[in-house]
Short mmCIF file of all heavy atoms in Angstrom, two decimals:
data_model
loop_
_atom_site.label_atom_id
_atom_site.label_comp_id
_atom_site.label_asym_id
_atom_site.label_seq_id
_atom_site.Cartn_x
_atom_site.Cartn_y
_atom_site.Cartn_z
N GLY M 35 -11.06 16.54 -19.11
CA GLY M 35 -10.64 15.22 -18.66
C GLY M 35 -9.42 14.73 -19.49
O GLY M 35 -8.47 14.17 -18.91
N ALA M 36 -9.48 14.95 -20.74
CA ALA M 36 -8.44 14.43 -21.62
C ALA M 36 -7.06 15.08 -21.33
O ALA M 36 -6.05 14.48 -21.43
CB ALA M 36 -8.79 14.60 -23.08
N SER M 37 -7.08 16.32 -20.90
CA SER M 37 -5.83 17.01 -20.66
C SER M 37 -5.06 16.43 -19.47
O SER M 37 -3.88 16.63 -19.35
CB SER M 37 -6.16 18.51 -20.39
OG SER M 37 -6.73 18.65 -19.11
N LEU M 38 -5.75 15.61 -18.61
CA LEU M 38 -5.07 14.97 -17.49
C LEU M 38 -4.40 13.69 -17.93
O LEU M 38 -3.63 13.14 -17.18
CB LEU M 38 -6.07 14.66 -16.37
CG LEU M 38 -6.78 15.85 -15.82
CD1 LEU M 38 -7.85 15.44 -14.82
CD2 LEU M 38 -5.81 16.74 -15.07
N LEU M 39 -4.71 13.22 -19.12
CA LEU M 39 -4.21 11.92 -19.60
C LEU M 39 -2.96 12.07 -20.36
O LEU M 39 -2.76 13.04 -21.04
CB LEU M 39 -5.25 11.21 -20.43
CG LEU M 39 -6.53 10.73 -19.74
CD1 LEU M 39 -7.51 10.31 -20.76
CD2 LEU M 39 -6.14 9.67 -18.75
N PRO M 40 -2.07 11.10 -20.27
CA PRO M 40 -0.83 11.12 -21.12
C PRO M 40 -1.22 10.83 -22.57
O PRO M 40 -2.29 10.27 -22.85
CB PRO M 40 0.03 10.00 -20.54
CG PRO M 40 -0.95 9.07 -19.87
CD PRO M 40 -2.11 9.93 -19.40
N PHE M 41 -0.42 11.21 -23.47
CA PHE M 41 -0.57 10.94 -24.89
C PHE M 41 -1.84 11.56 -25.53
O PHE M 41 -2.22 11.16 -26.61
CB PHE M 41 -0.60 9.42 -25.17
CG PHE M 41 0.45 8.66 -24.40
CD1 PHE M 41 0.07 7.67 -23.50
CD2 PHE M 41 1.78 9.02 -24.50
CE1 PHE M 41 1.02 7.03 -22.77
CE2 PHE M 41 2.73 8.36 -23.75
CZ PHE M 41 2.34 7.34 -22.84
N GLY M 42 -2.49 12.54 -24.81
CA GLY M 42 -3.60 13.23 -25.43
C GLY M 42 -4.78 12.28 -25.73
O GLY M 42 -5.56 12.56 -26.65
N SER M 43 -4.92 11.24 -24.96
CA SER M 43 -6.00 10.29 -25.18
C SER M 43 -7.40 10.96 -25.12
O SER M 43 -7.59 11.91 -24.28
CB SER M 43 -5.98 9.20 -24.08
OG SER M 43 -7.10 8.38 -24.13
N SER M 44 -8.27 10.57 -26.01
CA SER M 44 -9.62 11.23 -26.02
C SER M 44 -10.66 10.27 -25.41
O SER M 44 -11.82 10.63 -25.37
CB SER M 44 -9.95 11.57 -27.43
OG SER M 44 -10.02 10.41 -28.22
N VAL M 45 -10.29 9.12 -24.95
CA VAL M 45 -11.27 8.18 -24.32
C VAL M 45 -11.65 8.73 -22.94
O VAL M 45 -10.93 9.62 -22.39
CB VAL M 45 -10.70 6.81 -24.16
CG1 VAL M 45 -10.46 6.19 -25.57
CG2 VAL M 45 -9.42 6.75 -23.35
N ALA M 46 -12.68 8.18 -22.32
CA ALA M 46 -13.11 8.53 -20.98
C ALA M 46 -11.88 8.40 -20.05
O ALA M 46 -11.08 7.45 -20.19
CB ALA M 46 -14.22 7.71 -20.50
N ALA M 47 -11.74 9.37 -19.13
CA ALA M 47 -10.60 9.39 -18.27
C ALA M 47 -10.31 8.04 -17.54
O ALA M 47 -11.25 7.58 -16.78
CB ALA M 47 -10.72 10.48 -17.25
N ALA M 48 -9.21 7.37 -17.86
CA ALA M 48 -8.92 6.14 -17.12
C ALA M 48 -7.99 6.40 -15.96
O ALA M 48 -7.22 7.38 -16.00
CB ALA M 48 -8.20 5.22 -18.12
N LEU M 49 -8.13 5.65 -14.89
CA LEU M 49 -7.26 5.84 -13.76
C LEU M 49 -5.86 5.32 -14.07
O LEU M 49 -5.67 4.35 -14.84
CB LEU M 49 -7.85 5.06 -12.53
CG LEU M 49 -9.23 5.56 -12.00
CD1 LEU M 49 -9.65 4.74 -10.86
CD2 LEU M 49 -9.10 7.04 -11.61
#
Side-chain angles (χ1 to χ4, degrees):
S37 70
L38 299 172
L39 290 171
F41 318 121
S43 170
S44 61
V45 296
L49 296 179

